[in-house]
Amino acid sequence: MILSLSHVAFAFGDFRVLDDVSLDVPPKEIVGLIGPNGAGKSTLFAVTSGFEKPLAGTIMLDGRDITHDGPVARARAGLGRTFQVPREFRHLTVRENLLAAAPNQTGENLLPLFLSPRRVREEERALREKVADLIAFLNLTAVKDTPSGSLSGGQKKLLELGRVLMGDPKVILLDEPFAGVNPVLIDSLVDRIRELNAQGYSFLVIEHNLRALSDLCSTMHVMDRGAMIASGAPSAVLDDPKVQEAYMGGVL
Amino acid sequence: MTAYLIAMAIVALIYMLLTIGLNLQYGYTGLANFGHVGSFAIGAYITALITTNGGFAYVSLPASVLGAALVAWPVALLSKRLRTDYFAIATLAASETLRLAIIEEDWITNGVHGITSIPNMSVALGLDVDPNILILTLLIAANLLAVALITRMVKSPFGRTIEAIRDDEDAVRALGKEPATFKVKVFVIGAGLAGLAGAFYAHYFSYISPEQFLPLITFYVWMAMILGGTGSILGAVAGSLVLVLFLEGSRFVRDILPGVTEVEMASVRLFVVGMALVLLTLLRPQGLMGDFRKR
């Protein structure tokens, strides 16, 4: 497994948000995670990416126990994530956002910046080429020099995906990649995610757009009130009465 | 008249070093430092103590920079845990604590009486030239160097990352970069510049005391930064010039306001400077040279 959560628990004070949640992301697969609002999906992402500490359970990334690592160490170990509400660096342009996301830049350290400017310059040139390719891949060419704060919701989602890709992660966690994105752009996002998956990237995707998600993923998990209530192939999961009950509140 | 202009230029250039440092800290990195005057005081006291005990400025200038940077280090570490507003309060408290320590530890600082007879720049460097021209020249050189160094820093991968930290720290963390390492460096460098400004200040005024290092100085520097444009190095340069123009220009308000006592005049000047700031932010919210928040 590229990412493996077992028996993860988390609480805000006395309020249990995650209760014995287990989930696996096999290599080169797209795994979906759905559930009604407040089910604990985004909290699960926060715990997985190290922004919150789990009360119990273990988190393994590519065979390594990362349960006790912070968010920085987890990102360095190859865990990339986006946020439900896009967190672009709003005063930086699209291009600068992507450049800033590149890991281990020599020019981020002050001594080499002043002592080996040539090395910094050459690295920067190579990085700019990589970023130019990525901007083309994400269809952001028209806005590459626009401050990212003024992008549309969908463009911000694409930019965040691009930023994560700069780090060449082992697994990518997408938190509602299609929320607030216009239908045309959703198709292009789906298309990009498929393409990346074909290149070997693994994904765990939270999404409310069930149609887009069930097209995309091979396995789907359903959470409700902090617990995993169903897992399996998307069509089977969506037909599960427990899932329909959780989503529709038993009204239908 | 020339002497007056030189004096104003020296004061403006001292503020300029302070403003460039604060702009690196807040304008580029989002570190709300409300205790900038603390680093300024450390630089001034180190220089005063070294040169009144026979030391030369060749030692005291670097010692002031390093001393201010060193003291800023533990304060910078607070930025790991504190968000913007709390960090602002903590730095303000740190600078006030330092000022009280200077008052209390009078065996070394001479307490409220301050340190007198600090040698001027020419004596401190052992050069036989006009001290005011010398300090003016050194201040211009120091500011040019500071502008060059900081410009190189902010227009580099380092600069990109600190601006990213200013915009969203957690997103930087999610990319595998630790914001604290960058913030500590930036804070310490800004403090070093303030320490250098303090050293020049001590040499120029030849007398320093704790009451010269009130939080008001920090807020003057903030005003200079906001006037010039937050997140712009040229803005820091322009802003400190305009600030001193206001501070000094308000002296002449006396001519149009007869019957105001000298004590009342101090308040009137603050009022004039405050009004100028309000008007400028209303008429040109991005500052003279542009502001990252309006970009």
Side-chain angles (χ1 to χ4, degrees):
Chain A
M1 290 299 146
I2 201 85
L3 178 70
S4 180
L5 310 180
S6 24
H7 312 295
V8 170
F10 180 78
F12 287 115
D14 287 338
F15 184 63
R16 274 251 155 171
V17 186
L18 298 174
D19 194 13
D20 195 28
V21 175
S22 298
L23 177 158
D24 285 328
V25 180
K28 301 185 187 186
E29 289 217 21
I30 302 176
V31 174
L33 177 61
I34 65 168
N37 286 324
K41 305 181 299 297
S42 286
T43 306
L44 187 67
F45 264 26
V47 169
T48 308
S49 55
F51 283 90
E52 300 285 0
K53 285 193 173 70
L55 288 177
T58 49
I59 301 161
M60 307 279 286
L61 178 66
D62 204 13
R64 214 182 105 191
D65 188 346
I66 56 165
T67 314
H68 302 289
D69 291 344
V72 173
R74 290 191 200 190
R76 285 195 186 147
L79 190 143
R81 72 162 295 181
T82 64
F83 293 88
Q84 190 177 353
V85 178
R87 306 187 78 154
E88 75 287 353
F89 304 130
R90 59 189 182 281
H91 300 104
L92 302 187
T93 65
V94 166
R95 199 210 315 243
E96 288 167 339
N97 263 269
L98 296 172
L99 288 166
N104 304 320
Q105 301 175 49
T106 308
E108 281 181 307
N109 300 300
L110 292 176
L111 277 185
L113 183 62
F114 288 103
L115 299 181
S116 23
R118 222 177 108 189
R119 196 167 132 219
V120 172
R121 211 162 40 236
E122 274 163 15
E123 213 181 277
E124 185 77 357
R125 195 176 306 133
L127 206 53
R128 277 176 188 272
E129 273 173 33
K130 185 178 172 187
V131 163
D133 290 347
L134 188 54
I135 287 174
F137 174 78
L138 296 170
N139 288 324
L140 290 171
T141 314
V143 290
K144 65 177 192 289
D145 293 315
T146 307
S148 59
S150 50
L151 296 179
S152 75
Q155 289 169 327
K156 286 180 184 176
K157 298 271 181 187
L158 277 165
L159 176 60
E160 271 209 322
L161 174 61
R163 244 173 26 188
V164 169
L165 290 172
M166 288 301 292
D168 206 15
K170 291 175 178 154
V171 60
I172 300 175
L173 276 54
L174 300 177
D175 198 343
E176 298 195 20
F178 310 137
V181 180
N182 79 59
V184 181
L185 211 50
I186 288 184
D187 288 344
S188 109
L189 256 166
V190 167
D191 183 53
R192 296 297 85 176
I193 294 170
R194 278 226 180 83
E195 163 87 37
L196 289 164
N197 181 234
Q199 289 174 19
Y201 284 99
S202 319
F203 289 90
L204 175 61
V205 186
I206 293 177
E207 188 46 59
H208 282 303
N209 184 330
L210 300 184
R211 189 191 56 81
L213 186 65
S214 51
D215 277 359
L216 200 56
C217 64
S218 48
T219 312
M220 196 180 263
H221 296 270
V222 188
M223 281 180 76
D224 186 30
R225 281 173 249 167
M228 207 61 97
I229 58 166
S231 303
S235 55
V237 164
L238 293 178
D239 284 341
D240 190 321
K242 269 188 299 181
V243 175
Q244 297 189 343
E245 159 108 18
Y247 255 93
M248 311 302 181
V251 175
L252 293 179
Chain B
M1 188 63 190
T2 317
Y4 178 68
L5 285 179
I6 289 176
M8 286 312 96
I10 288 169
V11 174
L13 287 162
I14 289 172
Y15 270 111
M16 205 178 279
L17 282 173
L18 287 164
T19 312
I20 292 169
L22 181 68
N23 215 338
L24 177 67
Q25 293 172 337
Y26 179 73
Y28 286 91
T29 322
L31 280 168
N33 179 7
F34 277 16
H36 209 35
V37 71
S39 309
F40 184 55
I42 289 165
Y45 269 90
I46 288 177
T47 281
L49 289 170
I50 290 178
T51 55
T52 52
N53 287 297
F56 278 102
Y58 302 103
V59 180
S60 73
L61 285 179
S64 291
V65 175
L66 291 177
L70 207 65
V71 175
W73 187 275
V75 180
L77 293 178
L78 289 175
S79 71
K80 265 187 197 180
R81 298 180 168 271
L82 300 176
R83 303 258 156 199
T84 313
D85 35 3
Y86 292 101
F87 185 68
I89 295 168
T91 49
L92 178 60
S95 81
E96 278 294 88
T97 307
L98 178 82
R99 194 172 62 83
L100 293 176
I102 290 173
I103 293 173
E104 292 303 320
E105 301 302 315
D106 51 2
W107 56 279
I108 177 160
T109 63
N110 205 22
V112 289
H113 305 297
I115 299 176
T116 54
S117 311
I118 302 163
N120 66 37
M121 209 71 237
S122 305
V123 175
L125 286 173
L127 299 173
D128 186 19
V129 289
D130 182 321
N132 286 346
I133 301 294
L134 180 61
I135 200 168
L136 181 67
T137 314
L138 288 177
L139 269 167
I140 290 171
N143 273 288
L144 285 175
L145 196 67
V147 168
L149 285 179
I150 305 296
T151 304
R152 170 76 182 137
M153 271 172 63
V154 300
K155 300 219 179 294
S156 77
F158 179 90
R160 211 156 49 206
T161 304
I162 59 175
E163 288 198 74
I165 290 169
R166 177 195 65 202
D167 282 359
D168 198 323
E169 228 173 279
D170 277 344
V172 171
R173 258 186 214 108
L175 295 171
K177 297 171 200 271
E178 180 51 65
T181 42
F182 290 88
K183 293 201 294 191
V184 167
K185 284 177 194 169
V186 160
F187 193 78
V188 163
I189 291 169
L193 282 175
L196 184 62
F200 283 119
Y201 179 87
H203 282 305
Y204 182 64
F205 287 100
S206 82
Y207 165 67
I208 57 169
S209 71
E211 65 180 13
Q212 295 164 355
F213 302 101
L214 292 169
L216 183 64
I217 302 294
T218 300
F219 298 123
Y220 279 154
V221 179
W222 272 84
M223 277 169 63
M225 177 182 72
I226 294 166
L227 286 169
T230 309
S232 153
I233 293 294
L234 283 180
V237 171
S240 32
L241 292 174
V242 172
L243 173 81
V244 172
L245 206 68
F246 280 165
L247 286 178
E248 279 307 311
S250 57
R251 232 181 249 289
F252 302 105
V253 174
R254 148 149 243 103
D255 301 340
I256 50 171
L257 277 181
V260 177
T261 68
E262 208 50 53
V263 180
E264 288 164 345
M265 201 49 218
S267 307
V268 170
R269 280 178 67 189
L270 270 182
F271 174 77
V272 170
V273 173
M275 277 309 286
L277 182 66
V278 170
L279 283 178
L280 194 107
T281 45
L282 279 177
L283 299 174
R284 197 173 158 78
Q286 72 274 40
L288 297 169
M289 295 293 175
D291 182 330
F292 76 82
R293 288 167 302 186
K294 303 294 181 301
R295 234 182 263 154

